Amino acid sequence: MRLDYLTIFPDYLAPLRLSLPGKAVESGLLDLHVHDLRQWTRDRHHTTDDTPYGGGAGMVMKPEPFGEAFDELLGPVPEEVAQQPSRRATVVFTTPSGEPMTQRLAEELATRERIVFACGRYEGIDQRVIDHAREIAEVREISLGDYVLNGGEVAALAITEAVVRLLPGFMGNAASIVEESHSESGLLEHPVYTKPREWRGREVPEVLLSGDHGRIAAWRHDQSVRRTAERRPDLLAPSVLDDGGEIVRAVPADAAELLVLQRACWAQEALANDSLAIPALHESYDDVRTALAEWDTYVVRRAGRLVAAVRGRLDGTAWDIGRMMVAPDLQGTGLGRRLLAHIQAVAPAGASSYVLFTGVRSERNIRLYKRAGFRPRVELPAPPGAIVLTKPRRG
Ligand code: 97T
């Protein structure tokens, strides 16, 4: 992986040479380049900022130095790379108005070959720099959180550390990676203790000394839930607090119940279609958790119970809709219709059509989809025993 940093304070990024990324450079896993943005200025004072058009306080970073830096580091983009989005470099703008940095985003960035960090200062960077970058690279605007820093350098450092420690061959410690999947449960970690057993009159909780692994696991889980409810109720909200029948975004903590509902719903499909060769029926808990990270998934709860779900993901210009499920006792109550309308409504701007499939003998599903304007497309390839339905997106 190659990482470049554009900054007017290159010294701020010196820690990259120490600590974790430093070791990855030594092992050849990482290629790091810190650039002083002023090398791409042409005036005597090496100016990188100017006053904002339209007035207002503060200074805005000028477009030209970033433009020339991109030309040198990224351009010209060969035609075949421009056509293949997955081969483009990623440009990360650190900004308080970006998408929040998360472990999921770190995992995504860890798959990239090339990331250029553009560190903004002052009130931000001229918008045309970001618009231009979108034409030559994948652009991500990322925020560390809802607070203000003096500039993007510290944010770029934090993002780098979160990404680099995920690179294959970097940690060399399988146990800590297993540990990590714990945090994907959507709960905060439980408290931890080490020797001595008693310190300044404080004892280690007795259960941890009991040697009873079942009790220890139950205690830790309980501590995790309490901590999460206390410090991060937002992580529990959709799964525990929301039961008003609203359609809400799924969280990792929904995975286990989603799996149960999915098995129930697709067992019904297996019977209707006289086939067990249905992927949704065979997925494991891990498969469902992975899918939650890769799809936009929505769920509905009633009285705390997870009763319905649907997911969507962009495939080229098609909004791929799937895993539409409604608990057996609530089928025929209009929930499916609502979910289908919702998942179409949240499709991103790049979607020009909707596509889904269902069992050729799943008559109720097919009726629901037809009523919503989907048309069966027998000429399109579908999994065995399934039929594809599509609908153009209007507006
Ligand atoms: O506050 C900032 C100023 C410039 C660049 C980034 C930030 C920031 O990033 N995450 C939170 C704040």
Side-chain angles (χ1 to χ4, degrees):
M1 173 184 266
R2 174 169 168 165
L3 301 176
D4 290 90
Y5 301 82
L6 300 174
T7 171
I8 54 168
F9 293 113
D11 290 347
Y12 244 102
L13 296 168
L16 286 172
R17 301 267 157 219
L18 317 162
S19 72
L20 299 167
K23 283 191 200 130
V25 171
E26 280 164 33
S27 69
L29 211 56
L30 258 197
D31 192 11
L32 287 182
H33 300 266
V34 177
H35 310 274
D36 187 341
L37 187 66
R38 293 192 202 279
Q39 77 189 81
W40 288 288
T41 57
R42 291 165 186 266
D43 63 312
R44 225 161 31 93
H45 301 290
H46 301 294
T47 313
T48 54
D49 60 352
D50 209 332
T51 52
Y53 272 120
M59 300 290 271
V60 175
M61 294 194 79
K62 294 165 64 61
E64 303 93 324
F66 281 107
E68 297 203 13
F70 291 155
D71 291 346
E72 190 171 326
L73 296 174
L74 297 176
V77 184
E79 186 58 24
E80 71 270 21
V81 174
Q83 293 308 318
Q84 247 179 300
S86 63
R87 291 187 52 201
R88 292 170 145 207
T90 297
V91 176
V92 170
F93 291 93
T94 50
T95 159
S97 36
E99 63 180 311
M101 183 61 196
T102 58
Q103 190 62 23
R104 189 208 276 203
L105 184 48
E107 283 163 13
E108 197 185 333
L109 293 174
T111 67
R112 304 297 191 262
E113 280 293 312
R114 183 90 200 269
I115 304 177
V116 177
F117 289 91
C119 304
R121 289 249 134 197
Y122 317 114
E123 310 308 311
I125 302 173
D126 187 303
Q127 181 60 36
R128 292 167 295 182
V129 172
I130 296 129
D131 298 342
H132 167 66
R134 277 191 218 287
E135 285 181 359
I136 56 170
E138 177 202 23
V139 167
R140 305 303 285 257
E141 296 180 73
I142 302 176
S143 162
L144 278 198
D146 293 338
Y147 44 84
V148 177
L149 304 169
N150 275 331
E153 286 76 9
V154 167
L157 277 179
I159 296 165
T160 300
E161 186 156 318
V163 168
V164 167
R165 61 189 290 285
L166 297 176
L167 295 182
F170 177 62
M171 291 230 288
N173 177 357
S176 14
I177 292 181
V178 172
E179 203 73 334
E180 201 125 63
S181 65
H182 255 297
S183 65
E184 285 167 23
S185 70
L187 297 174
L188 302 184
E189 290 297 321
H190 52 76
V192 295
Y193 298 85
T194 184
K195 288 174 271 302
R197 252 177 96 144
E198 195 220 291
W199 178 73
R200 300 193 177 178
R202 295 167 189 275
E203 299 269 357
V204 170
E206 179 276 328
V207 56
L208 296 179
L209 310 172
S210 69
D212 181 339
H213 298 296
R215 258 183 80 213
I216 293 172
W219 181 84
R220 286 181 166 163
H221 180 72
D222 180 62
Q223 291 287 319
S224 284
V225 172
R226 284 166 188 267
R227 266 195 172 176
T228 310
E230 176 77 25
R231 304 177 183 179
R232 294 292 307 278
D234 58 305
L235 294 179
L236 294 175
S239 35
V240 180
L241 307 177
D242 183 288
D243 61 355
E246 291 298 302
I247 299 173
V248 296
R249 217 177 244 287
V251 293
D254 291 327
E257 287 169 279
L258 263 175
L259 175 65
V260 172
L261 183 62
Q262 179 171 321
R263 294 252 174 101
C265 291
W266 269 271
Q268 203 181 342
E269 287 300 282
L271 290 170
N273 290 278
D274 198 16
S275 165
L276 289 175
I278 304 178
L281 200 53
H282 297 266
E283 280 181 358
S284 66
Y285 175 53
D286 263 355
D287 294 332
V288 173
R289 290 202 313 176
T290 306
L292 277 175
E294 294 171 351
W295 294 74
D296 284 344
T297 305
Y298 293 85
V299 296
V300 176
R301 283 183 181 273
R302 292 238 173 118
R305 199 184 139 216
L306 197 152
V307 293
V310 69
R311 72 186 189 186
R313 158 165 100 173
L314 203 56
D315 177 7
T317 60
W319 181 240
D320 194 351
I321 297 171
R323 294 292 190 276
M324 180 125 114
M325 54 186 108
V326 175
D329 57 317
L330 294 171
Q331 292 175 8
T333 66
L335 250 181
R337 201 171 41 78
R338 269 180 61 210
L339 280 175
L340 185 58
H342 178 80
I343 199 67
Q344 294 173 77
V346 298
S352 60
S353 67
Y354 306 111
V355 56
L356 53 78
F357 64 85
T358 190
V360 282
R361 303 221 291 262
S362 304
E363 286 172 27
R364 282 172 61 149
N365 298 351
I366 294 173
R367 200 175 333 123
L368 170 76
Y369 297 140
K370 282 186 176 170
R371 283 197 184 132
F374 283 78
R375 292 292 163 254
R377 300 285 299 273
V378 286
E379 74 280 16
L380 294 181
I387 181 171
V388 171
L389 294 97
T390 67
K391 174 180 167 181
R393 188 179 205 205
R394 287 177 237 288

